[in-house]
């Protein structure tokens, strides 16, 4: 390098550093203070004993030491170390902690470049990708701030990880985009055509988003967000804004899967977040990026419900677009009846009122909330041969009525008459059943209907076919509220009976009134039915032939 080239490099370095410093000054001091406070808590947990297997990381709730923990600590520590208004700015003890985190990552990286997720996946390219998202951000911040010593420590881990992900496989649909985003981050730092080739190979499969705006796993609080965040990263790192389209499509879909307090409908998920309580906090990166990029006030309104707690200082420092002002807020849709035929769900919003109707193959076929007052699910089962849980087989809508049906049969079996099948032994007993004549066949037919009456929903429950079968309807409520009009059910914790009249469930200032009740027996934990849901449950009971209408009204 001649003198002129050296001077140009010095000037470029100074210019890059100055730009980074100017960008840092755009960040709200409150974000930095919260970041420092959380980092302080994390550093207190970091293992500092060089002889400990967790040295450089910190334990999870099961005392396992993951690369995820070390990577997250690394990202947050580097951001604080490099931000001039952080209490940790150029803090030498913190620099030592950073080195320890990198050391943990290197010690726990396989020769191929992968890491283990100790709870389930080993030598895992996709879990390596999740970890790289944090590690590469730390490296990018080091590059932007000319912290060559930090960048040099991180580089070997990223290069080995890039080699592994360029060849390794995946398990689930979202893993493809996790790996692609991680490779794009590494390529941004250390360009390599091999990374691009692998990204393009995965993208060539097509993106798994359906016409309703849901990724294949329909994981509304976890993996939708994982995919959205990955595609934003890909679009930014590869300068491919066409890859923002699936993000936009998914976020637009999510506008119609929100409850009044910005909790999310999770009943459609195919993953571990099904039927859980959750928000859109995991979407923060994609939401903020797209709110600014698209000047979308509805996205900004969702952000307004989660910020400042979810703001990431490292990502603000890395992505200039995130630092720009949000557009004027516009409320998400609050008056609609949205049907998702592919996801087999209807979601109804009327201000504070939110109803979720599952069409088929879901025992939790109806849920309702009025503000904070939440009915998690309505289910029912009969004692029909230990298999009487209502799990709708067929669904159709007729105007404001949602109609469900299910039929079950239960035979008794006659002696085997075919000599070729004898003798009946323990080995062939099960196979022989299909050859037995069936007699005394019992039938159970369920037909239920949800009628939307505006501020009220009516559930019509009919069970006929075999007489004298006990039946129990479970109305499961969110914990923390008060219930009036019910009596304790015998022998079951957190279970109540609604004899007659109406029950009122209240949480905060919000209430739902439901009934009338019916109590023909106290057999609430039906044999063969699904176990009672956690939290308080109110039961309505009877015998077949059974016909009953329950009204649910926001009050």
């Amino acid at each position: 390098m001649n003198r002129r080239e050296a001077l140009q490099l010095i000037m470029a370095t100074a210019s890059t550093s100055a730009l980074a410093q100017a960008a840092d000054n755009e960040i709200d001091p409150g974000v930095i203070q919260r970041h420092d406070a959380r980092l302080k808590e994390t550093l207190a947990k970091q293992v500092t004993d060089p002889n400990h297997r967790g040295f450089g990381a910190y334990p999870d709730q099961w005392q396992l030491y993951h690369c995820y923990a070390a990577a997250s600590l690394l990202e947050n520590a580097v951001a604080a170390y490099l931000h001039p208004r952080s209490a940790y700015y150029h803090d030498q003890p913190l620099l030592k902690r950073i080195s320890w985190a990198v050391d943990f990552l290197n010690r726990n990286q396989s020769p191929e470049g992968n890491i283990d997720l100790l709870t389930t996946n080993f030598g895992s390219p996709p879990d390596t990708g999740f970890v790289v998202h944090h590690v590469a951000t730390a490296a990018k911040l080091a590059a932007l701030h000319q912290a060559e010593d930090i960048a040099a420590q991180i580089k070997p881990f990223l290069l080995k990880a890039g080699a592994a992900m360029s060849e390794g496989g995946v398990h689930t649909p979202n893993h493809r985009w996790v790996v692609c985003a991680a490779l794009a981050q590494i390529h941004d730092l250390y360009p390599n055509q091999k990374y691009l080739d692998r990204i393009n190979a995965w993208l060539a499969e097509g993106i798994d988003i359906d016409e309703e705006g849901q990724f294949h796993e329909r994981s509304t609080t976890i993996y939708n967000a994982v995919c959205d965040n990955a595609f934003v990263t890909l679009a930014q790192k590869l300068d491919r804004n066409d890859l923002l389209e699936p993000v936009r499509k998914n976020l637009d879909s999510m506008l119609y899967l929100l409850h009044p307090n910005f909790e999310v409908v999770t009943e459609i998920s195919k993953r571990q977040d099904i039927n859980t309580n959750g928000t859109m906090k995991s979407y923060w990166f994609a939401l903020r990026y797209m709110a600014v990029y698209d000047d979308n006030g509805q996205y900004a309104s969702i952000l307004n419900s989660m910020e400042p707690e979810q703001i990431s200082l490292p990502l603000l420092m890395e992505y200039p677009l995130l630092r720009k002002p949000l557009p004027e807020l516009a409320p998400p849709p609050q008056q609609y009846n949205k049907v998702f035929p592919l996801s087999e769900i209807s979601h109804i919003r009327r201000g504070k009122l939110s109803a979720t109707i599952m069409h088929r193959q879901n025992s939790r076929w109806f849920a309702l909330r009025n503000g904070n007052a939440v009915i998690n699910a309505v289910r029912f089962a009969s004692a029909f041969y230990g298999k009487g849980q209502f799990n709708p087989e067929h669904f159709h809508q007729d105007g404001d009525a949602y109609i469900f049906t299910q039929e079950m049969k239960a035979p008794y079996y006659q002696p085997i008459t075919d000599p070729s099948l004898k003798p009946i032994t323990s080995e062939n007993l099960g196979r022989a059943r299909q050859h037995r004549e069936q007699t005394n066949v019992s039938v159970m037919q369920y037909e239920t209907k949800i009628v939307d009456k505006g501020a009220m929903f009516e559930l019509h429950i009919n069970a006929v076919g075999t007489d004298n079968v006990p039946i129990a309807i479970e109305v499961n409520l969110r914990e923390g509220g008060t219930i009036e009009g019910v009596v304790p059910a015998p022998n079951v914790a957190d279970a109540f009976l609604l004899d007659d009249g109406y029950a009122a469930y209240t949480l905060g200032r919000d209430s739902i009134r439901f009934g009338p009740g019916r109590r023909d027996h106290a057999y609430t934990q039906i044999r063969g039915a699904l176990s009672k849901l956690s939290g308080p449950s109110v039961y309505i009971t009877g015998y077949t032939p059974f016909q009953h209408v329950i009204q649910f009204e926001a009050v």
Side-chain angles (χ1 to χ4, degrees), residues 56 65 145 160 168 174 202 216 320 324 335 371 437 456 511-512:
Y65 295 86
H145 290 78
K160 283 183 67 176
N174 76 81
W202 286 121
H216 176 76
K324 292 186 177 181
Q335 300 286 334
E437 180 187 358
M456 176 191 294
S511 298
I512 297 174

Side-chain angles (χ1 to χ4, degrees), residues 106 109-115 124-133 135-136 154-169 178-199 202:
N106 289 329
Q109 189 175 31
S110 71
E112 296 80 16
N114 292 311
I115 63 99
S124 169
D127 288 290
T128 302
F130 279 112
V131 166
V132 162
H133 293 173
V135 179
I154 298 173
K155 183 176 180 179
F157 177 86
L158 290 177
L159 290 179
K160 283 183 67 176
M165 292 185 295
S166 295
E167 298 178 355
V178 169
V179 166
C180 286
L183 287 171
Q185 288 178 277
I186 300 174
H187 178 76
D188 180 50
L189 292 161
Y190 319 113
N192 187 327
Q193 186 61 40
K194 188 175 182 180
Y195 303 153
L196 296 179
D197 291 343
R198 191 61 165 179
I199 292 170
W202 286 121

Side-chain angles (χ1 to χ4, degrees), residues 68-136:
Y68 282 85
S72 176
L73 187 154
L74 173 65
E75 177 187 45
N76 291 319
V78 168
Y81 180 82
L82 296 175
H83 198 289
R85 285 182 290 147
S86 168
Y88 293 97
Y89 181 60
H90 285 185
D91 180 74
Q92 290 305 303
L94 182 63
L95 194 60
K96 186 181 295 184
R97 298 296 194 100
I98 288 170
S99 295
W100 293 348
V102 175
D103 182 59
F104 181 91
L105 292 169
N106 289 329
R107 292 197 323 270
N108 288 276
Q109 189 175 31
S110 71
E112 296 80 16
N114 292 311
I115 63 99
D116 297 333
L117 175 60
L118 296 177
T119 54
T120 185
N121 296 331
F122 300 87
S124 169
D127 288 290
T128 302
F130 279 112
V131 166
V132 162
H133 293 173
H134 299 292
V135 179

Side-chain angles (χ1 to χ4, degrees), residues 165-178:
M165 292 185 295
S166 295
E167 298 178 355
V170 300
H171 285 151
T172 63
N174 76 81
H175 283 171
R176 297 172 296 169
W177 318 131
V178 169

Side-chain angles (χ1 to χ4, degrees), residues 198-218:
R198 191 61 165 179
I199 292 170
N200 290 329
W202 286 121
L203 287 173
E205 292 189 352
I207 297 172
D208 58 313
I209 193 163
D210 63 27
E211 295 176 3
E212 295 174 356
Q214 291 297 310
F215 291 99
H216 176 76
E217 292 162 288
R218 296 177 187 161

Side-chain angles (χ1 to χ4, degrees), residues 362-401:
N362 194 317
S363 65
R364 301 168 61 133
W365 53 299
F366 179 69
L368 181 69
R369 59 180 67 199
N370 177 36
N372 292 314
V374 179
I375 293 177
N376 292 320
V378 177
R379 310 188 303 178
F380 76 87
S382 74
F384 185 76
Y385 293 87
K387 59 179 182 180
Q389 184 74 50
F390 178 55
N391 201 1
E393 294 175 339
H394 305 288
F395 164 82
H396 71 276
Q397 185 173 352
D398 184 5
D400 293 330

